[in-house]
Amino acid sequence: MIKTKSEKIISFLCIVLICISIAVTLTYWFVSPKNSRMVLFFPSYDSRNLCTEVRFLPKKPIQGIERLFVEELLLGPMTNRYKQIFPRNTELNYCFLKDNVLYVGLNDSVLEGVDGIPIKESIDILKFNIVKNFTFINKIDVSIDGISIY
């Protein structure tokens, strides 16, 4: 099969274009920040169902991925169609993992409730979020002002 000069040039340009695209892809993959995809569940104003929101969090944050995840939950949903789980002034006193048990300490602002959601339901949604995103966690101990509740 004899190729003309123009066919050789087109073949060469295609190969160069493929090599450049591979090089750009690999460079982007090595340089881009490494994030974890987390799925957060919030109650909806429209229904009784929990709705999902996806957020990308750093894989190795200084304070620990579990703490960062709980802080993201406390910030609440990004859309106005979902409800907060806890009041806006809720603070995370501590969050640490020991022997596959996650210890979460919240301040007493949790007791104020939010959007007609009972406190127990808010805690259950918190636990559901943690279990869905961290399958290695066997137990979650939630405390309010240092008193273990559930």
Side-chain angles (χ1 to χ4, degrees), residues 13-148:
L13 289 176
C14 287
I15 292 172
V16 168
L17 186 62
I18 291 171
C19 289
I20 289 173
S21 65
I22 290 173
V24 168
T25 302
L26 288 175
T27 302
Y28 179 77
W29 186 74
F30 283 115
V31 174
S32 68
K34 305 296 185 241
N35 292 325
S36 296
R37 181 180 182 270
M38 298 289 180
V39 179
L40 284 70
F41 297 87
F42 294 100
S44 172
Y45 280 110
D46 301 327
S47 67
R48 299 264 314 142
N49 298 333
L50 291 178
C51 299
T52 60
E53 244 183 40
V54 175
R55 296 193 192 166
F56 292 91
L57 306 178
K59 282 190 178 181
K60 295 184 180 181
I62 294 170
Q63 70 271 38
I65 188 69
E66 297 87 4
R67 181 180 182 99
L68 183 61
F69 179 78
V70 173
E71 287 174 348
E72 286 289 321
L73 278 173
L74 293 179
L75 286 175
M78 289 190 279
T79 177
N80 60 359
R81 295 308 315 147
Y82 303 157
K83 298 178 185 178
Q84 288 275 132
I85 299 173
F86 298 107
R88 292 217 182 267
N89 57 346
T90 302
E91 295 176 7
L92 183 62
N93 294 336
Y94 58 85
C95 181
F96 62 93
L97 184 67
K98 183 177 180 185
D99 299 326
N100 292 340
V101 177
L102 186 68
Y103 297 91
V104 178
L106 305 170
N107 68 350
D108 63 351
S109 297
V110 172
L111 301 174
E112 296 169 11
V114 65
D115 288 327
I117 301 174
I119 297 167
K120 179 164 180 8
E121 186 176 336
S122 293
I123 300 296
D124 290 341
I125 293 171
L126 170 71
K127 288 182 175 184
F128 178 78
N129 272 284
I130 293 169
V131 167
K132 286 293 185 183
N133 286 278
F134 302 100
T135 56
F136 60 90
I137 293 178
N138 297 331
K139 182 182 174 191
I140 302 161
D141 184 6
V142 179
S143 299
I144 297 176
D145 270 353
I147 300 170
S148 183

